[in-house]
Amino acid sequence: MARTTRTARNTGSAALAAAAALALTALTGCGAADMTRQASPYADAKGSRTVTLSVQSWVGAQANVAVAQYLLEHELGYRVDTVQIDEVPAWDALSQGRVDAILEDWGHPEQEKRYIDDKATIERGGDLGVTGHIGWFVPTYFAEEHPDVTDWKNLDKYAAEFRTAESGGKGQLLDGSPSYVTNDKALVKNLDLDYQVVFAGSEAAQITQIRQFAKEKKPFLSYWYKPQWLFEKVPMTEVELPAYEEGCDADPRKVACAYPHTPLQKFLNARFASGGGDAAAFLKKFRWTTEMQNDVALMIAEEKLTPREAAARWAKQNEATWRAWLPS
Amino acid sequence: MTATATPAPPGSKTTAPTTTTPPTDDGPGALRSLARHRGRLIGVCAVLALVAGWVLLGAGNWPAPLSVDLSGPLERTSDWIIDNRDGHPLFLYFFGHVSNIVVLSVRAVYLVLLALGWAGVTAAAALLAWRAAGVRLALTSLAAFSVCGLLGMWVPAMQTLALMVVAVAASVLLGGLLGLAAGLSDRMHRILRPVLDTMQVLPAFAYLLPVVLVFGIGVPAAVLATVVYAAPPMARLTALGLRDADAGVVEAATSLGATGRQLLLTARLPLARKELLLGVNQSIMMALGMAVIASVIGAGGLGDRVYQALASVDVGAALAAGVPIVLLAITLDRVTAAAGERIGEAPADRSGLRWALAALVTAAVAVGARLLDLLSWPDAWTVDIAGPVNGTVDWMTAHLYSGVPLVGGTADWAGHFTTWVLGPLRDGLQWLPWWTVLLTVGVLALLIGTWRTAATAVLAMAAIGVLGVWDPALDTLSQVLAAVTVTLLTGFALGVAAARSTRLGRALRPVLDVFQTMPQFVYLIPVVALFGVGRAPAAAAAVVYALPAVVRITAQGVRAVDPAALESARSMGATGWQQLLQVQLPLARPALLLAVNQGVVLVLAVVVIGGLVGGGALGYDAVFGLAQGDLATGLVAGAAIVCLGLMLDRVTQPTGRRDPTGKGA
């Protein structure tokens, strides 16, 4: 019985939406449209409360979203929409209200200034609990044979081993997605290394290539980051770059130091943060560890569970952890 | 960019009338010798220019003083838009409303689809196909929609469908209006033609960024980008239909005293019905091709599932979302094409009754499903194909990547291809003095086209230099040339074989359909797994995408050779090879040239996809711009890709020849 009333409401709202579309067409040019309230047309389709989360392309971010989605749906009764967007456009979408939250941000000072300080359309959502770090990595099987490769000063010695058809006569430094933060071109130049940066163009391509190399136990040098599930499958050792100091990466052209360690941050749409009720409260409290994120990420990427299944399995085993996130 | 709009999926489209003016060289002897003479003249001029250039300009890359750095102004524009988007009247009173209308319309369609439930939607689709195209296609469409459900993709499929309905409606409206203007006024026709030409070679990625900047991520931006992509074929075909209307009928109507509007409504539009419907068909195919590209800017639906599957390197899941796109595309294409063929036939008896029956059955099914609580596709009825597919891909990459006895692995081939073909080609092009590149482009365009096409080609190439991306553009060009060569060699061989063997032709058709409609994102991972990261997998992806069109056009051209000519050759005792080389191929020359042109344009369309697998150059820059919201990099790269497309199109375009069926076609 309850079911039929709900479907009746669906049809009603469809008709209503159609009528509203017509009315709005007629009104165009009269009222002002609010560009900061731009929800997805697929939201609230079943008359339920909807939260829209942005997913970035790496699996760690998928893991955060999968678990948040699972708990929002099963414990708090929300419907969750996810949209995959690159990092910078995600900030844009957040400020417009197209998504309600970003759960894992690796540091975008320019956007923070613009949207949080100047426009106040985005609010901080606190630490995710995971610390991120970018670096250069070689496979551990290679590092064990050649321990001195882990110092950047010795990299030139191995350039020939890292050579591929794509890198020409130089060694190949494999870089990833265009959406990631990278200083590698400047680093290679400023450290005067005999290397060519080859952009894989997407994380999927980079992972696929790394796994092909690993399968054949070939040496390779790659831009990579922690936390990342691939380390479980292809153990990699970091190459020491000149130590990071505050501000040494201020001028993108003069960078000659390692990448920092970044505590990853959550951000919420400002309107959602204050009016989002339980969902907003929950997302602010959401905070877990690198190991937990890796567990879920590995289930998604390696065991090929859907993010939903992976989240369900994790939630079953870690109830104590997530109970604390629920609004009391 | 998964555009399925190549001329031929189902036969009807290649027979679309073309605004062909006869190529200059098939006239009588005098004209022919003039043409030869012209070629020699161009050759002499070119040599003179070469010598003069060497003396006056010397060697070297595009000179810095001749380029303009647009990054400053573009960054300021981008900042202005972001800062004013929430408050400026332009956004509040115009773009905001456009955005809201799009959201509300998509939402309305989506809610209707959800309210019908899967049973209702499937029944409606099947019955619609039955009325429009017959029983066989009704079954096809029934199967297609069921597979969407079986693969667990019902909701995303409905989201994509809702977006498609709105985007196609807008494209048909906009394209129809433009086409109407161009069809009725010669001046509008002249003005619009170059605009549509340019839109035809625009890679979709190039205008995602500006659209996103104005509308933000999400459905409105996706719909508008789709409309830009899908409206041109509609405009072209509408104009064509109106212009080609039978003069006799029009005159008869005029003599009866019909006013301009009456003439349009009672004579010209009805006469153009076939073209109009073909335009709708093409718009649908283009729009579906855009479904996955648009997922990059948050369109949701099936494209988003493909895109998300990529993130976890899951080919199986990507395929599960890709297959419904392919099925929807093939079904919609066949149904609209069949409906187009039926136009003009006498309506069957009791046609109205059958329509009523169809509507009644749909309603009954929808209500029945609701009463039985079957609105959303039951989870138990889904099939998981991801596992087996991933198993297959893993096996392939484990066994083919390297170390295959005798032939080496795919990685070795890719390495050789990069070292021996792509590398030298790129270095050679980049080594050439800039003005010789312009000269070559001009001479090639002159030899095959007119002064005007040559001027366009040279200017387009020069614009690349002015934009300051000369080197990456030549890198991209080298990849395109290499991929086109492979495509043409394979495509001609397959096309000729398919034309000569009906059985092979029939076997190839579904394969070509799938390759043409499968979103390229699905095979991103397999190409990297087989060929490693770099320019070689980018070329492989381009070949896969462009091959079907080349095969189809070639086969069609060879098949269409006048049987009498073939017969007379046979009676003179020509062998099979002689028939092919001396009769069929020369007579099919126009078709082969069209195939070259299409191969080039389609390969270029995949350049951005190549950027995602390590192709670098302009493709990477375009993706980078979008990912980083960097208008200066992204827009310049996009503009350079457009210029490259224009140049290649003009250089390979036989005089006046234009396929009206749309871009990619």
Side-chain angles (χ1 to χ4, degrees):
Chain A
M1 210 44 225
R3 176 70 59 174
T4 38
T5 44
R6 188 199 283 183
T7 45
R9 197 167 64 214
N10 276 354
T11 332
S13 49
L16 205 77
L22 277 178
L24 214 111
T25 321
L27 281 173
T28 302
C30 305
D34 191 345
M35 289 294 272
T36 62
R37 298 182 104 146
Q38 297 277 324
S40 153
Y42 310 128
D44 297 321
K46 295 232 165 106
S48 54
R49 300 175 297 171
T50 300
V51 178
T52 309
L53 299 176
S54 105
V55 197
Q56 281 86 52
S57 62
W58 59 92
V59 185
Q62 281 196 335
N64 305 326
V65 170
V67 169
Q69 175 172 15
Y70 180 85
L71 295 172
L72 279 167
E73 287 181 347
H74 286 82
E75 298 298 324
L76 297 173
Y78 282 84
R79 217 184 82 80
V80 177
D81 262 351
T82 59
V83 192
Q84 177 156 338
I85 333 174
D86 287 317
E87 293 166 77
V88 176
W91 277 83
D92 221 30
L94 195 59
S95 89
Q96 285 191 294
R98 281 221 164 79
V99 297
D100 294 319
I102 299 178
L103 295 182
E104 176 173 323
D105 186 83
W106 285 63
H108 290 90
E110 207 178 301
Q111 276 72 22
E112 282 172 42
K113 187 182 171 307
R114 170 177 277 156
Y115 294 114
I116 297 178
D117 304 343
D118 298 351
K119 303 175 104 177
T121 49
I122 295 179
E123 265 182 32
R124 290 174 204 284
D127 276 8
L128 174 69
V130 178
T131 298
H133 174 59
I134 298 169
W136 291 3
F137 292 85
V138 291
T140 304
Y141 52 75
F142 187 74
E144 276 165 2
E145 278 174 44
H146 310 276
D148 61 339
V149 75
T150 56
D151 186 340
W152 69 271
K153 289 185 192 113
N154 301 324
L155 277 178
D156 271 356
K157 206 168 93 188
Y158 293 98
E161 305 229 25
F162 295 135
R163 200 158 57 197
T164 66
E166 206 49 57
S167 65
K170 300 177 173 179
Q172 169 171 296
L173 169 58
L174 189 63
D175 257 56
S177 158
S179 65
Y180 298 169
V181 177
T182 170
N183 307 324
D184 284 3
K185 270 196 160 171
L187 278 171
V188 166
K189 189 163 158 269
N190 296 336
L191 297 176
D192 195 21
L193 294 172
D194 185 24
Y195 280 79
Q196 170 82 30
V197 185
V198 173
F199 288 94
S202 57
E203 190 182 76
Q206 196 181 7
I207 292 178
T208 310
Q209 177 72 81
I210 288 179
R211 303 198 71 167
Q212 288 290 27
F213 281 142
K215 208 179 277 166
E216 307 199 299
K217 297 268 178 244
K218 272 195 184 163
F220 63 86
L221 175 67
S222 179
Y223 166 103
W224 206 232
Y225 60 93
K226 287 176 167 173
Q228 229 291 349
W229 60 275
L230 189 66
F231 285 104
E232 307 286 330
K233 292 290 137 190
V234 181
M236 287 184 263
T237 307
E238 186 169 0
V239 175
E240 300 257 335
L241 290 168
Y244 175 82
E245 280 163 40
E246 189 70 43
C248 73
D249 51 1
D251 183 348
R253 271 164 308 162
K254 291 190 187 145
V255 185
C257 62
Y259 294 89
H261 289 261
T262 321
L264 306 181
Q265 301 296 311
K266 296 172 289 179
F267 292 95
L268 308 180
N269 172 283
R271 192 175 272 128
F272 172 75
S274 53
D278 285 354
F282 164 81
L283 288 174
K284 283 181 200 161
K285 281 192 191 170
F286 185 107
R287 187 184 159 90
W288 60 351
T289 63
T290 305
E291 292 73 38
M292 291 176 179
Q293 192 196 52
N294 265 343
D295 283 348
V296 180
L298 208 61
M299 283 188 244
I300 298 173
E302 213 20 66
E303 295 177 43
K304 304 288 185 213
L305 292 188
T306 63
R308 196 176 291 260
E309 290 162 350
R313 192 186 287 181
W314 181 88
K316 204 174 279 171
Q317 294 159 354
N318 295 276
E319 193 169 341
T321 313
W322 57 258
R323 277 272 166 231
W325 304 340
L326 298 182
S328 39
Chain B
M1 242 179 298
T2 13
T4 44
T6 39
S12 70
K13 263 179 269 167
T14 24
T15 54
T18 36
T19 48
T20 315
T21 53
T24 44
D25 58 353
D26 66 0
L31 214 69
R32 205 171 259 276
S33 78
L34 193 78
R36 211 177 307 138
H37 197 62
R38 180 166 164 263
R40 202 170 297 160
L41 200 71
I42 294 169
V44 171
C45 290
V47 171
L48 282 179
L50 210 63
V51 175
W54 203 263
V55 173
L56 294 173
L57 299 166
N61 254 331
W62 186 267
L66 288 187
S67 59
V68 181
D69 186 8
L70 289 178
S71 50
L74 282 177
E75 253 161 48
R76 278 195 295 280
T77 314
S78 147
D79 285 345
W80 185 86
I81 294 177
I82 292 175
D83 288 337
N84 290 281
R85 198 166 45 195
D86 307 335
H88 195 274
L90 180 66
F91 289 90
L92 294 186
Y93 295 98
F94 181 66
F95 290 128
H97 287 298
V98 173
S99 166
N100 285 338
I101 290 169
V102 169
V103 168
L104 283 173
S105 332
V106 173
R107 188 175 172 75
V109 178
Y110 181 57
L111 289 179
V112 168
L113 289 175
L114 284 188
L116 276 176
W118 65 268
V121 171
T122 311
L127 290 166
L128 210 65
W130 170 58
R131 287 312 305 140
V135 176
R136 252 190 62 209
L137 280 167
L139 292 177
T140 313
S141 118
L142 188 71
F145 276 85
S146 310
V147 169
C148 292
L150 277 176
L151 289 172
M153 289 291 155
W154 187 260
V155 172
M158 289 308 107
Q159 293 180 345
T160 296
L161 206 56
L163 198 144
M164 283 304 121
V165 168
V166 174
V168 168
S171 308
V172 166
L173 201 69
L174 180 73
L177 285 176
L178 288 177
L180 202 61
L184 296 180
S185 137
D186 282 331
R187 183 185 293 172
M188 274 308 284
H189 188 59
R190 270 200 306 276
I191 296 175
L192 273 179
R193 244 186 86 163
V195 176
L196 293 177
D197 275 359
T198 315
M199 283 169 90
Q200 197 161 30
V201 292
L202 270 178
F205 248 90
Y207 47 79
L208 286 187
L209 185 55
V211 180
V212 165
L213 203 60
V214 171
F215 290 98
I217 288 285
V219 169
V223 166
L224 289 165
T226 309
V227 170
V228 174
Y229 194 61
M234 184 69 202
R236 243 174 223 290
L237 281 158
T238 308
L240 183 76
L242 288 175
R243 296 186 140 314
D244 283 2
D246 187 345
V249 178
V250 174
E251 200 167 311
T254 321
S255 69
L256 284 172
T259 63
R261 183 192 293 181
Q262 281 169 341
L263 192 65
L264 182 67
L265 292 179
T266 61
R268 298 182 81 166
L269 277 180
L271 282 174
R273 269 179 314 194
K274 277 209 161 157
E275 281 82 5
L276 292 181
L277 207 71
L278 186 59
V280 174
N281 167 296
Q282 286 298 300
S283 284
I284 293 175
M285 301 313 281
M286 304 299 295
L288 264 170
M290 193 64 186
V292 176
I293 305 292
S295 72
V296 175
I297 55 173
L302 290 169
D304 191 59
R305 294 302 177 94
V306 174
Y307 191 48
Q308 291 203 17
L310 253 189
S312 47
V313 202
D314 189 344
V315 187
L319 199 66
V323 166
I325 297 181
V326 172
L327 289 176
L328 283 180
I330 294 180
T331 313
L332 285 169
D333 178 55
R334 297 279 151 84
V335 169
T336 42
E341 269 163 39
R342 285 192 162 194
I343 280 187
E345 284 176 17
D349 287 343
R350 292 175 299 177
S351 153
L353 201 68
R354 291 190 181 176
W355 275 110
L357 183 69
L360 208 68
V361 172
T362 307
V365 171
V367 171
R370 168 161 308 164
L371 292 178
L372 290 172
D373 198 14
L374 275 176
L375 274 184
S376 44
W377 187 274
D379 281 343
W381 294 9
T382 55
V383 180
D384 182 27
I385 63 160
V389 170
N390 285 324
T392 315
V393 173
D394 285 348
W395 183 89
M396 264 172 44
T397 54
H399 290 84
L400 303 178
Y401 185 68
S402 66
V404 182
L406 291 178
V407 289
T410 47
D412 304 330
W413 301 352
H416 293 320
F417 190 66
T418 308
T419 315
W420 299 113
V421 179
L422 287 169
L425 199 55
R426 174 178 68 183
D427 297 345
L429 282 174
Q430 289 179 342
W431 167 86
L432 280 179
W434 60 274
W435 52 271
T436 48
V437 176
L438 294 188
L439 193 67
T440 316
V441 165
V443 169
L444 282 178
L446 260 186
L447 284 177
I448 196 157
T450 61
W451 285 104
R452 195 175 293 188
T453 52
T456 316
V458 172
L459 283 178
M461 202 61 211
I464 291 173
V466 172
L467 286 171
V469 284
W470 185 255
D471 268 359
L474 288 183
D475 186 354
T476 297
L477 182 61
S478 72
Q479 295 175 38
V480 170
L481 291 179
V484 165
T485 312
V486 178
T487 310
L488 291 180
L489 289 178
T490 332
F492 284 162
L494 276 176
V496 169
R500 292 168 70 99
S501 149
T502 331
R503 197 187 301 160
L504 181 66
R506 209 175 295 141
L508 267 179
R509 193 174 147 185
V511 181
L512 297 182
D513 273 349
V514 168
F515 276 131
Q516 223 161 15
T517 39
M518 183 63 78
Q520 298 103 323
F521 279 20
V522 173
Y523 48 79
L524 268 184
I525 297 168
V527 292
V528 174
L530 285 174
F531 302 110
V533 151
R535 286 169 289 160
V543 171
V544 172
Y545 180 60
L547 199 56
V550 173
V551 173
R552 283 208 158 104
I553 301 173
T554 312
Q556 183 93 15
V558 173
R559 234 182 266 133
V561 165
D562 184 6
L566 209 58
E567 191 51 50
S568 68
R570 215 173 284 143
S571 69
M572 279 154 60
T575 64
W577 273 109
Q578 282 170 332
Q579 286 172 33
L580 177 66
L581 292 179
Q582 287 167 12
V583 182
Q584 285 181 310
L585 286 186
L587 284 180
R589 191 167 160 263
L592 297 186
L593 282 176
L594 180 64
V596 172
N597 178 263
Q598 286 309 298
V600 166
V601 172
L602 290 176
V603 163
L604 193 78
V606 195
V607 155
V608 171
I609 300 296
L612 292 172
V613 292
L618 294 179
Y620 178 83
D621 286 349
V623 184
F624 177 89
L626 196 59
Q628 298 279 356
D630 181 347
L631 201 60
T633 310
L635 207 59
V636 166
I641 296 177
V642 171
C643 290
L644 215 51
L646 268 181
M647 184 277 281
L648 285 168
D649 182 57
R650 292 306 185 271
V651 165
T652 55
Q653 191 180 80
T655 319
R657 176 173 266 284
R658 215 50 195 101
D659 182 354
T661 50
K663 69 171 109 181

